[in-house]
Amino acid sequence: MPSWIARILDWSYFALFARIVLTFPFWASGLSKLIDFSGGAAEMAHFGLSPPAFVNALVLVTQLTGALLIIANRHVWVATGALAVFTLLTIPIAHDFWNQKGHIAQLEFFFVVEHISVIGGLMLAAILSRQSKHKGA
C-alpha cells in the first residue's frame, strides 16, 4: 500500500468522516422525519404501521441516536445492532420485491441488496470500533 494512502487511513479525521458517510442514510432520514414529522407519520401509515406518529417518533429516535453514537464512536455495538435490525425490518415492510411484478420488483430487489450491504458496513463499524478500543485509540 502506498504510504500516502496508509497515512490517510490512519488519520482519525478520516475515520470520523467514514462514520459520518456510513450513517448518512440514517441521520438524513431521521432529520427528515423530525423536520417534517407529519410527512414521516404519513410514510408510516402508507406502510400500514400504527399508530403512525408513534412509529415515526420511534424510527427517528432510533435513526438519529444510532447514527450519533456511531459518529461519536461510543456504544457502537448497540448502535450498529439497532440500526442493522431496523434496516433488516424495513425489507419485508417497505421492499417486498417478492410481492411485486416487473420493473418494480427489480427495483425493490436492488434496495434489498443495498440494505444488506449497509448491514455489512454496520457490522464492520462495530468490529473496527472494538479493535480501536483495544489498541487504545
Side-chain angles (χ1 to χ4, degrees), residues 3-120:
S3 62
W4 67 272
I5 292 177
R7 283 193 304 276
I8 291 170
L9 294 176
D10 289 340
W11 193 33
S12 64
Y13 290 109
F14 188 73
L16 173 63
F17 179 68
R19 292 191 304 272
I20 292 168
V21 170
L22 174 65
T23 59
F24 174 74
F26 301 107
W27 57 260
S29 176
L31 286 174
S32 173
K33 286 171 177 53
L34 180 63
I35 292 166
D36 181 12
F37 193 86
S38 62
E43 180 184 5
M44 299 307 137
H46 169 77
F47 290 113
L49 301 171
S50 185
F54 176 75
V55 176
N56 186 56
L58 191 62
V59 167
L60 77 87
V61 167
T62 300
Q63 290 179 318
L64 293 175
T65 303
L68 182 62
L69 287 172
I70 292 168
I71 291 168
N73 202 21
R74 301 286 182 252
H75 306 290
V76 174
W77 69 273
V78 173
T80 57
L83 291 176
V85 168
F86 166 79
T87 302
L88 190 62
L89 289 173
T90 65
I91 293 171
I93 294 169
H95 304 293
D96 59 342
F97 66 90
W98 53 91
N99 289 326
Q100 307 299 322
K101 301 274 188 246
H103 185 66
I104 298 299
Q106 186 179 29
L107 286 174
E108 292 300 339
F109 176 75
F110 291 150
F111 283 123
V112 168
V113 170
E114 290 176 353
H115 279 41
I116 292 169
S117 294
V118 168
I119 292 169

